[in-house]
């Protein structure tokens, strides 16, 4: 639901409310693992830490920034961050940082040949709040021969999930659909995944109109697919849901976060 509220007046209250819920669990779990930590506890810790940093719990953001800085200044070339925390540390370090933090991740991405590491770094590169960098990332994901179709889909999907990049990702994909579709090379699974991720959280009248014009007015066969029409129906449902429920949600969140 947070993505649907990202451009609404409720978003800051929503983040504040989630931080209130997450704080006790976050401080109880902590960042340090013990020898008794099992797989379920590790998964829970990573999930809670990721959400806490995502929604701005100050202690979580600070700790992630510190770990990212250590990684940036280390003389070692291999990753020193625990596997469970790599994604949230990369993302938070880049989101809260600037050009230096983003550039470090880009250099490490370009120098990596390990698929999992490249995917983690690529998703983290999309966490920046700098719109111009996000647009550059979208363009590079399509035009660069060193970025695969799967990585292009991941980059575009990750930018679309960033509140800063949500709307212009739709514009980028619709304006460059022939290029994007050509790189997908007819892979129906990756295509469906990309379309779903780009459109899943669209919720404004403007976004709905843009998507309608793209789907209904185009003669491109690839646009007349089930995936695009499902995306259009989902967006219509999102707009209606937000129109119907936003006032109630906003009032409730305002009361819930009143100090």
């Amino acid at each position: 639901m947070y993505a649907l509220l990202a451009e609404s007046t409720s978003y800051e209250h929503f983040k504040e409310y989630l931080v209130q819920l997450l704080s006790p669990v976050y401080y109880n779990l902590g960042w340090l693992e013990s020898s008794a930590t099992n797989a379920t506890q590790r998964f829970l810790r990573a999930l809670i830490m990721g959400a806490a940093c995502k929604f701005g719990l100050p202690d979580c953001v600070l700790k992630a920034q510190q770990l990212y800085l250590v990684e940036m200044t280390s003389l070692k070339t291999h990753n020193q961050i625990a596997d469970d925390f790599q994604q949230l540390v990369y993302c938070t370090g880049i989101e809260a940082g600037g050009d230096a933090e983003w550039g470090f991740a880009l250099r490490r991405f370009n120098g990596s040949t390990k698929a999992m590491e490249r995917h983690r770094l690529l998703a983290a590169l999309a966490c920046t709040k700098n719109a111009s960098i996000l647009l550059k990332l979208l363009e590079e994901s399509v035009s660069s021969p060193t970025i695969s179709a799967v990585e292009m889909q991941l980059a575009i999907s990750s930018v679309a999930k960033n509140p800063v990049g949500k709307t212009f990702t739709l514009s980028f994909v619709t304006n460059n659909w022939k290029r994007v579709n050509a790189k997908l090379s007819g892979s129906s699974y990756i295509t469906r995944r990309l379309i779903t991720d780009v459109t899943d959280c669209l919720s404004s009248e403007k976004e709905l109109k843009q998507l309608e014009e793209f789907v209904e007015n185009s003669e491109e066969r690839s646009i007349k697919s089930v995936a695009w029409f499902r995306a259009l129906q989902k967006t219509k449902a999102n707009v209606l849901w937000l129109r119907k429920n936003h006032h109630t949600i906003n009032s409730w969140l305002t009361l819930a976060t009143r100090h």
Side-chain angles (χ1 to χ4, degrees), residues 204-220:
S204 72
E205 298 281 357
K206 180 180 178 181
E207 291 165 340
L208 174 57
K209 182 179 179 182
Q210 183 178 351
L211 187 58
E212 281 179 330
E213 290 176 351
F214 175 70
V215 174
E216 295 176 355
N217 297 338
S218 176
E219 297 301 322
E220 276 282 322

Side-chain angles (χ1 to χ4, degrees), residues 197-235:
D197 288 345
V198 168
T199 60
D200 201 40
C201 297
L202 301 179
S203 57
S204 72
E205 298 281 357
K206 180 180 178 181
E207 291 165 340
L208 174 57
K209 182 179 179 182
Q210 183 178 351
L211 187 58
E212 281 179 330
E213 290 176 351
F214 175 70
V215 174
E216 295 176 355
N217 297 338
S218 176
E219 297 301 322
E220 276 282 322
R221 183 178 178 182
S222 62
I223 299 171
K224 299 299 183 182
S225 66
V226 173
W228 278 114
F229 277 98
R230 283 179 177 170
L232 182 56
Q233 294 307 309
K234 177 67 183 299
T235 302

